[in-house]
mmCIF file of all heavy atoms in Angstrom:
data_model
loop_
_atom_site.group_PDB
_atom_site.id
_atom_site.type_symbol
_atom_site.label_atom_id
_atom_site.label_comp_id
_atom_site.label_asym_id
_atom_site.label_seq_id
_atom_site.Cartn_x
_atom_site.Cartn_y
_atom_site.Cartn_z
ATOM 1 N N PHE A 1 100.843 116.935 117.199
ATOM 2 C CA PHE A 1 101.854 116.425 116.268
ATOM 3 C C PHE A 1 102.032 117.370 115.085
ATOM 4 O O PHE A 1 103.155 117.624 114.650
ATOM 5 C CB PHE A 1 101.497 115.018 115.780
ATOM 6 C CG PHE A 1 101.881 113.935 116.737
ATOM 7 C CD1 PHE A 1 100.910 113.290 117.480
ATOM 8 C CD2 PHE A 1 103.204 113.570 116.903
ATOM 9 C CE1 PHE A 1 101.255 112.290 118.377
ATOM 10 C CE2 PHE A 1 103.561 112.568 117.800
ATOM 11 C CZ PHE A 1 102.578 111.926 118.536
ATOM 12 N N MET A 2 100.942 117.882 114.558
ATOM 13 C CA MET A 2 101.035 118.826 113.446
ATOM 14 C C MET A 2 101.884 120.027 113.851
ATOM 15 O O MET A 2 102.748 120.471 113.089
ATOM 16 C CB MET A 2 99.644 119.304 113.013
ATOM 17 C CG MET A 2 98.835 118.303 112.248
ATOM 18 S SD MET A 2 97.217 118.958 111.730
ATOM 19 C CE MET A 2 97.728 120.225 110.550
ATOM 20 N N GLN A 3 101.635 120.532 115.041
ATOM 21 C CA GLN A 3 102.341 121.719 115.518
ATOM 22 C C GLN A 3 103.812 121.409 115.820
ATOM 23 O O GLN A 3 104.704 122.160 115.413
ATOM 24 C CB GLN A 3 101.640 122.243 116.773
ATOM 25 C CG GLN A 3 102.083 123.607 117.200
ATOM 26 C CD GLN A 3 101.106 124.208 118.183
ATOM 27 O OE1 GLN A 3 100.021 124.613 117.792
ATOM 28 N NE2 GLN A 3 101.480 124.240 119.441
ATOM 29 N N LEU A 4 104.072 120.300 116.510
ATOM 30 C CA LEU A 4 105.451 119.930 116.847
ATOM 31 C C LEU A 4 106.305 119.704 115.604
ATOM 32 O O LEU A 4 107.478 120.058 115.570
ATOM 33 C CB LEU A 4 105.471 118.659 117.707
ATOM 34 C CG LEU A 4 105.073 118.829 119.166
ATOM 35 C CD1 LEU A 4 104.896 117.471 119.839
ATOM 36 C CD2 LEU A 4 106.114 119.653 119.905
ATOM 37 N N GLU A 5 105.699 119.097 114.596
ATOM 38 C CA GLU A 5 106.426 118.789 113.364
ATOM 39 C C GLU A 5 106.376 119.939 112.367
ATOM 40 O O GLU A 5 106.905 119.826 111.269
ATOM 41 C CB GLU A 5 105.860 117.514 112.754
ATOM 42 C CG GLU A 5 106.071 116.323 113.666
ATOM 43 C CD GLU A 5 105.419 115.063 113.144
ATOM 44 O OE1 GLU A 5 105.286 114.920 111.905
ATOM 45 O OE2 GLU A 5 105.045 114.220 113.970
ATOM 46 N N GLU A 6 105.701 121.017 112.760
ATOM 47 C CA GLU A 6 105.581 122.200 111.921
ATOM 48 C C GLU A 6 105.097 121.867 110.513
ATOM 49 O O GLU A 6 105.697 122.276 109.514
ATOM 50 C CB GLU A 6 106.896 122.971 111.896
ATOM 51 C CG GLU A 6 107.297 123.474 113.268
ATOM 52 C CD GLU A 6 108.590 124.283 113.269
ATOM 53 O OE1 GLU A 6 109.294 124.325 112.245
ATOM 54 O OE2 GLU A 6 108.873 124.883 114.317
ATOM 55 N N LEU A 7 103.998 121.122 110.465
ATOM 56 C CA LEU A 7 103.397 120.830 109.170
ATOM 57 C C LEU A 7 102.920 122.136 108.544
ATOM 58 O O LEU A 7 102.716 123.135 109.229
ATOM 59 C CB LEU A 7 102.245 119.842 109.320
ATOM 60 C CG LEU A 7 102.621 118.424 109.777
ATOM 61 C CD1 LEU A 7 101.394 117.519 109.782
ATOM 62 C CD2 LEU A 7 103.711 117.819 108.914
ATOM 63 N N SER A 8 102.731 122.105 107.268
ATOM 64 C CA SER A 8 102.380 123.300 106.503
ATOM 65 C C SER A 8 101.186 124.054 107.092
ATOM 66 O O SER A 8 100.190 123.444 107.487
ATOM 67 C CB SER A 8 102.054 122.900 105.067
ATOM 68 O OG SER A 8 101.558 123.997 104.356
ATOM 69 N N THR A 9 101.295 125.357 107.130
ATOM 70 C CA THR A 9 100.173 126.177 107.591
ATOM 71 C C THR A 9 99.110 126.339 106.506
ATOM 72 O O THR A 9 98.104 126.997 106.723
ATOM 73 C CB THR A 9 100.655 127.564 108.054
ATOM 74 O OG1 THR A 9 101.361 128.186 106.988
ATOM 75 C CG2 THR A 9 101.524 127.453 109.288
ATOM 76 N N SER A 10 99.330 125.713 105.355
ATOM 77 C CA SER A 10 98.294 125.717 104.317
ATOM 78 C C SER A 10 97.282 124.591 104.554
ATOM 79 O O SER A 10 96.381 124.387 103.758
ATOM 80 C CB SER A 10 98.921 125.601 102.932
ATOM 81 O OG SER A 10 99.535 124.353 102.774
ATOM 82 N N ILE A 11 97.438 123.878 105.676
ATOM 83 C CA ILE A 11 96.484 122.844 106.075
ATOM 84 C C ILE A 11 95.466 123.499 107.009
ATOM 85 O O ILE A 11 95.816 124.009 108.064
ATOM 86 C CB ILE A 11 97.185 121.673 106.800
ATOM 87 C CG1 ILE A 11 98.231 121.031 105.890
ATOM 88 C CG2 ILE A 11 96.161 120.652 107.282
ATOM 89 C CD1 ILE A 11 99.131 120.025 106.590
ATOM 90 N N ASP A 12 94.201 123.504 106.573
ATOM 91 C CA ASP A 12 93.110 124.032 107.394
ATOM 92 C C ASP A 12 92.399 122.863 108.070
ATOM 93 O O ASP A 12 92.031 121.892 107.404
ATOM 94 C CB ASP A 12 92.095 124.783 106.535
ATOM 95 C CG ASP A 12 92.642 126.076 105.973
ATOM 96 O OD1 ASP A 12 93.611 126.625 106.542
ATOM 97 O OD2 ASP A 12 92.103 126.563 104.959
ATOM 98 N N VAL A 13 92.193 122.972 109.377
ATOM 99 C CA VAL A 13 91.539 121.908 110.127
ATOM 100 C C VAL A 13 90.197 122.400 110.650
ATOM 101 O O VAL A 13 90.100 123.489 111.211
ATOM 102 C CB VAL A 13 92.416 121.445 111.317
ATOM 103 C CG1 VAL A 13 91.704 120.374 112.134
ATOM 104 C CG2 VAL A 13 93.771 120.937 110.827
ATOM 105 N N VAL A 14 89.187 121.565 110.445
ATOM 106 C CA VAL A 14 87.878 121.787 111.034
ATOM 107 C C VAL A 14 87.648 120.641 112.006
ATOM 108 O O VAL A 14 87.715 119.474 111.620
ATOM 109 C CB VAL A 14 86.756 121.824 109.975
ATOM 110 C CG1 VAL A 14 85.388 121.891 110.625
ATOM 111 C CG2 VAL A 14 86.960 122.994 109.031
ATOM 112 N N MET A 15 87.429 120.974 113.254
ATOM 113 C CA MET A 15 87.176 119.977 114.279
ATOM 114 C C MET A 15 85.729 119.507 114.157
ATOM 115 O O MET A 15 84.814 120.336 114.073
ATOM 116 C CB MET A 15 87.431 120.539 115.676
ATOM 117 C CG MET A 15 88.806 121.129 115.872
ATOM 118 S SD MET A 15 90.159 119.973 115.602
ATOM 119 C CE MET A 15 90.080 119.014 117.097
ATOM 120 N N VAL A 16 85.541 118.185 114.139
ATOM 121 C CA VAL A 16 84.226 117.607 113.949
ATOM 122 C C VAL A 16 83.882 116.785 115.190
ATOM 123 O O VAL A 16 84.664 115.921 115.592
ATOM 124 C CB VAL A 16 84.201 116.705 112.698
ATOM 125 C CG1 VAL A 16 82.814 116.131 112.469
ATOM 126 C CG2 VAL A 16 84.680 117.466 111.463
ATOM 127 N N CYS A 17 82.738 117.074 115.788
ATOM 128 C CA CYS A 17 82.347 116.308 116.972
ATOM 129 C C CYS A 17 80.834 116.304 117.122
ATOM 130 O O CYS A 17 80.138 117.098 116.487
ATOM 131 C CB CYS A 17 83.011 116.860 118.225
ATOM 132 S SG CYS A 17 82.691 118.590 118.523
ATOM 133 N N SER A 18 80.350 115.386 117.958
ATOM 134 C CA SER A 18 78.907 115.293 118.151
ATOM 135 C C SER A 18 78.384 116.378 119.079
ATOM 136 O O SER A 18 77.219 116.726 119.026
ATOM 137 C CB SER A 18 78.517 113.903 118.649
ATOM 138 O OG SER A 18 79.350 113.517 119.706
ATOM 139 N N SER A 19 79.244 116.909 119.947
ATOM 140 C CA SER A 19 78.841 118.054 120.771
ATOM 141 C C SER A 19 80.073 118.910 121.037
ATOM 142 O O SER A 19 81.137 118.401 121.358
ATOM 143 C CB SER A 19 78.215 117.606 122.087
ATOM 144 O OG SER A 19 79.180 117.001 122.905
ATOM 145 N N ILE A 20 79.910 120.199 120.866
ATOM 146 C CA ILE A 20 81.025 121.127 121.023
ATOM 147 C C ILE A 20 80.963 121.725 122.427
ATOM 148 O O ILE A 20 80.090 122.530 122.724
ATOM 149 C CB ILE A 20 80.967 122.237 119.953
ATOM 150 C CG1 ILE A 20 80.990 121.618 118.561
ATOM 151 C CG2 ILE A 20 82.110 123.218 120.142
ATOM 152 C CD1 ILE A 20 80.646 122.572 117.447
ATOM 153 N N SER A 21 81.890 121.303 123.263
ATOM 154 C CA SER A 21 81.896 121.788 124.643
ATOM 155 C C SER A 21 82.798 123.011 124.772
ATOM 156 O O SER A 21 83.652 123.271 123.921
ATOM 157 C CB SER A 21 82.386 120.690 125.585
ATOM 158 O OG SER A 21 83.770 120.488 125.407
ATOM 159 N N GLU A 22 82.616 123.729 125.855
ATOM 160 C CA GLU A 22 83.460 124.896 126.125
ATOM 161 C C GLU A 22 84.911 124.469 126.320
ATOM 162 O O GLU A 22 85.830 125.176 125.921
ATOM 163 C CB GLU A 22 82.946 125.663 127.350
ATOM 164 C CG GLU A 22 83.683 126.958 127.597
ATOM 165 C CD GLU A 22 83.688 127.918 126.403
ATOM 166 O OE1 GLU A 22 82.688 127.996 125.663
ATOM 167 O OE2 GLU A 22 84.712 128.605 126.201
ATOM 168 N N SER A 23 85.125 123.298 126.920
ATOM 169 C CA SER A 23 86.507 122.820 127.116
ATOM 170 C C SER A 23 87.193 122.577 125.766
ATOM 171 O O SER A 23 88.383 122.846 125.620
ATOM 172 C CB SER A 23 86.541 121.561 127.972
ATOM 173 O OG SER A 23 85.862 120.496 127.339
ATOM 174 N N TYR A 24 86.446 122.086 124.771
ATOM 175 C CA TYR A 24 87.014 121.918 123.431
ATOM 176 C C TYR A 24 87.400 123.275 122.847
ATOM 177 O O TYR A 24 88.452 123.429 122.247
ATOM 178 C CB TYR A 24 86.030 121.240 122.487
ATOM 179 C CG TYR A 24 85.769 119.775 122.756
ATOM 180 C CD1 TYR A 24 84.661 119.148 122.216
ATOM 181 C CD2 TYR A 24 86.624 119.015 123.535
ATOM 182 C CE1 TYR A 24 84.411 117.805 122.435
ATOM 183 C CE2 TYR A 24 86.376 117.678 123.763
ATOM 184 C CZ TYR A 24 85.262 117.072 123.213
ATOM 185 O OH TYR A 24 85.026 115.741 123.426
ATOM 186 N N ARG A 25 86.537 124.251 123.017
ATOM 187 C CA ARG A 25 86.824 125.590 122.494
ATOM 188 C C ARG A 25 88.087 126.179 123.125
ATOM 189 O O ARG A 25 88.846 126.875 122.470
ATOM 190 C CB ARG A 25 85.633 126.513 122.711
ATOM 191 C CG ARG A 25 84.455 126.164 121.827
ATOM 192 C CD ARG A 25 83.385 127.240 121.887
ATOM 193 N NE ARG A 25 82.207 126.827 121.164
ATOM 194 C CZ ARG A 25 82.066 126.871 119.836
ATOM 195 N NH1 ARG A 25 83.045 127.307 119.096
ATOM 196 N NH2 ARG A 25 80.958 126.475 119.265
ATOM 197 N N GLN A 26 88.292 125.891 124.393
ATOM 198 C CA GLN A 26 89.496 126.378 125.070
ATOM 199 C C GLN A 26 90.737 125.642 124.575
ATOM 200 O O GLN A 26 91.777 126.261 124.322
ATOM 201 C CB GLN A 26 89.360 126.230 126.593
ATOM 202 C CG GLN A 26 88.303 127.138 127.203
ATOM 203 C CD GLN A 26 88.521 128.604 126.852
ATOM 204 O OE1 GLN A 26 89.618 129.122 126.947
ATOM 205 N NE2 GLN A 26 87.455 129.274 126.438
ATOM 206 N N LEU A 27 90.640 124.322 124.415
ATOM 207 C CA LEU A 27 91.777 123.528 123.949
ATOM 208 C C LEU A 27 92.220 123.928 122.541
ATOM 209 O O LEU A 27 93.407 123.962 122.240
ATOM 210 C CB LEU A 27 91.441 122.036 123.977
ATOM 211 C CG LEU A 27 91.476 121.362 125.333
ATOM 212 C CD1 LEU A 27 90.874 119.964 125.250
ATOM 213 C CD2 LEU A 27 92.904 121.284 125.850
ATOM 214 N N VAL A 28 91.260 124.218 121.692
ATOM 215 C CA VAL A 28 91.585 124.521 120.300
ATOM 216 C C VAL A 28 92.349 125.835 120.164
ATOM 217 O O VAL A 28 93.075 126.033 119.188
ATOM 218 C CB VAL A 28 90.305 124.496 119.434
ATOM 219 C CG1 VAL A 28 89.562 125.801 119.498
ATOM 220 C CG2 VAL A 28 90.612 124.124 118.010
ATOM 221 N N LYS A 29 92.266 126.700 121.147
ATOM 222 C CA LYS A 29 92.990 127.969 121.104
ATOM 223 C C LYS A 29 94.501 127.764 121.100
ATOM 224 O O LYS A 29 95.244 128.673 120.741
ATOM 225 C CB LYS A 29 92.575 128.855 122.280
ATOM 226 C CG LYS A 29 91.176 129.392 122.138
ATOM 227 C CD LYS A 29 90.794 130.255 123.313
ATOM 228 C CE LYS A 29 89.371 130.770 123.140
ATOM 229 N NZ LYS A 29 88.958 131.579 124.269
ATOM 230 N N ARG A 30 94.958 126.560 121.446
ATOM 231 C CA ARG A 30 96.385 126.262 121.414
ATOM 232 C C ARG A 30 96.890 126.015 119.989
ATOM 233 O O ARG A 30 98.089 125.894 119.782
ATOM 234 C CB ARG A 30 96.675 125.027 122.283
ATOM 235 C CG ARG A 30 96.353 125.274 123.741
ATOM 236 C CD ARG A 30 96.628 124.106 124.667
ATOM 237 N NE ARG A 30 97.307 122.974 124.114
ATOM 238 C CZ ARG A 30 97.021 121.710 124.427
ATOM 239 N NH1 ARG A 30 96.053 121.433 125.279
ATOM 240 N NH2 ARG A 30 97.700 120.718 123.899
ATOM 241 N N PHE A 31 95.982 125.936 119.029
ATOM 242 C CA PHE A 31 96.361 125.582 117.651
ATOM 243 C C PHE A 31 95.802 126.569 116.630
ATOM 244 O O PHE A 31 95.206 126.178 115.622
ATOM 245 C CB PHE A 31 95.876 124.164 117.339
ATOM 246 C CG PHE A 31 96.243 123.159 118.375
ATOM 247 C CD1 PHE A 31 95.334 122.767 119.348
ATOM 248 C CD2 PHE A 31 97.519 122.629 118.416
ATOM 249 C CE1 PHE A 31 95.680 121.855 120.321
ATOM 250 C CE2 PHE A 31 97.877 121.710 119.394
ATOM 251 C CZ PHE A 31 96.951 121.322 120.346
ATOM 252 N N PRO A 32 96.022 127.863 116.824
ATOM 253 C CA PRO A 32 95.407 128.856 115.929
ATOM 254 C C PRO A 32 95.937 128.823 114.499
ATOM 255 O O PRO A 32 95.255 129.288 113.587
ATOM 256 C CB PRO A 32 95.737 130.190 116.610
ATOM 257 C CG PRO A 32 96.981 129.920 117.378
ATOM 258 C CD PRO A 32 96.861 128.491 117.838
ATOM 259 N N ARG A 33 97.121 128.272 114.295
ATOM 260 C CA ARG A 33 97.650 128.260 112.928
ATOM 261 C C ARG A 33 96.994 127.198 112.044
ATOM 262 O O ARG A 33 97.163 127.226 110.831
ATOM 263 C CB ARG A 33 99.171 128.108 112.943
ATOM 264 C CG ARG A 33 99.658 126.740 113.370
ATOM 265 C CD ARG A 33 101.119 126.686 113.649
ATOM 266 N NE ARG A 33 101.904 126.621 112.436
ATOM 267 C CZ ARG A 33 103.175 126.297 112.406
ATOM 268 N NH1 ARG A 33 103.810 126.038 113.523
ATOM 269 N NH2 ARG A 33 103.830 126.246 111.277
ATOM 270 N N TYR A 34 96.255 126.269 112.667
ATOM 271 C CA TYR A 34 95.617 125.203 111.895
ATOM 272 C C TYR A 34 94.089 125.222 111.964
ATOM 273 O O TYR A 34 93.420 125.150 110.947
ATOM 274 C CB TYR A 34 96.106 123.827 112.358
ATOM 275 C CG TYR A 34 97.577 123.606 112.127
ATOM 276 C CD1 TYR A 34 98.460 123.511 113.189
ATOM 277 C CD2 TYR A 34 98.091 123.525 110.837
ATOM 278 C CE1 TYR A 34 99.821 123.323 112.978
ATOM 279 C CE2 TYR A 34 99.439 123.336 110.616
ATOM 280 C CZ TYR A 34 100.305 123.243 111.687
ATOM 281 O OH TYR A 34 101.635 123.069 111.471
ATOM 282 N N VAL A 35 93.532 125.298 113.153
ATOM 283 C CA VAL A 35 92.087 125.130 113.331
ATOM 284 C C VAL A 35 91.358 126.428 113.020
ATOM 285 O O VAL A 35 91.686 127.474 113.556
ATOM 286 C CB VAL A 35 91.753 124.681 114.765
ATOM 287 C CG1 VAL A 35 90.240 124.539 114.945
ATOM 288 C CG2 VAL A 35 92.446 123.364 115.088
ATOM 289 N N PHE A 36 90.364 126.332 112.153
ATOM 290 C CA PHE A 36 89.600 127.538 111.857
ATOM 291 C C PHE A 36 88.110 127.388 112.129
ATOM 292 O O PHE A 36 87.379 128.364 112.037
ATOM 293 C CB PHE A 36 89.865 128.046 110.435
ATOM 294 C CG PHE A 36 89.142 127.316 109.342
ATOM 295 C CD1 PHE A 36 87.917 127.753 108.883
ATOM 296 C CD2 PHE A 36 89.709 126.202 108.757
ATOM 297 C CE1 PHE A 36 87.258 127.089 107.868
ATOM 298 C CE2 PHE A 36 89.060 125.538 107.738
ATOM 299 C CZ PHE A 36 87.833 125.984 107.298
ATOM 300 N N ASP A 37 87.654 126.179 112.527
ATOM 301 C CA ASP A 37 86.222 126.048 112.799
ATOM 302 C C ASP A 37 85.923 124.737 113.515
ATOM 303 O O ASP A 37 86.753 123.826 113.545
ATOM 304 C CB ASP A 37 85.437 126.104 111.491
ATOM 305 C CG ASP A 37 83.987 126.525 111.676
ATOM 306 O OD1 ASP A 37 83.572 126.809 112.818
ATOM 307 O OD2 ASP A 37 83.267 126.587 110.666
ATOM 308 N N PHE A 38 84.728 124.680 114.094
ATOM 309 C CA PHE A 38 84.115 123.481 114.648
ATOM 310 C C PHE A 38 82.841 123.232 113.863
ATOM 311 O O PHE A 38 82.149 124.193 113.510
ATOM 312 C CB PHE A 38 83.653 123.721 116.091
ATOM 313 C CG PHE A 38 84.703 123.611 117.135
ATOM 314 C CD1 PHE A 38 85.314 124.749 117.625
ATOM 315 C CD2 PHE A 38 85.045 122.385 117.665
ATOM 316 C CE1 PHE A 38 86.245 124.675 118.635
ATOM 317 C CE2 PHE A 38 85.987 122.295 118.674
ATOM 318 C CZ PHE A 38 86.589 123.435 119.157
ATOM 319 N N ILE A 39 82.505 121.968 113.639
ATOM 320 C CA ILE A 39 81.182 121.645 113.120
ATOM 321 C C ILE A 39 80.691 120.391 113.825
ATOM 322 O O ILE A 39 81.486 119.557 114.265
ATOM 323 C CB ILE A 39 81.134 121.458 111.584
ATOM 324 C CG1 ILE A 39 82.088 120.372 111.117
ATOM 325 C CG2 ILE A 39 81.369 122.745 110.863
ATOM 326 C CD1 ILE A 39 81.914 120.019 109.650
#
């Protein structure tokens, strides 16, 4: 939704989860303008 609506690129997103899987790392590559980290 952020990407489709072209929300501001001044929004930094950190993905938060209990376990970081390789599939999550692959999915996040679709959103490079927003996501900058996992924790």
Side-chain angles (χ1 to χ4, degrees):
F1 278 106
M2 286 182 67
Q3 192 164 286
L4 284 170
E5 297 175 29
E6 298 182 351
L7 294 184
S8 173
T9 57
S10 66
I11 300 170
D12 291 338
V13 178
V14 173
M15 305 301 284
V16 182
C17 56
S18 47
S19 68
I20 302 168
S21 72
E22 186 56 36
S23 63
Y24 289 163
R25 290 190 187 281
Q26 293 305 313
L27 283 169
V28 83
K29 289 180 180 179
R30 296 181 8 218
F31 310 99
R33 70 192 282 194
Y34 296 112
V35 179
F36 79 93
D37 203 2
F38 279 98
I39 58 171

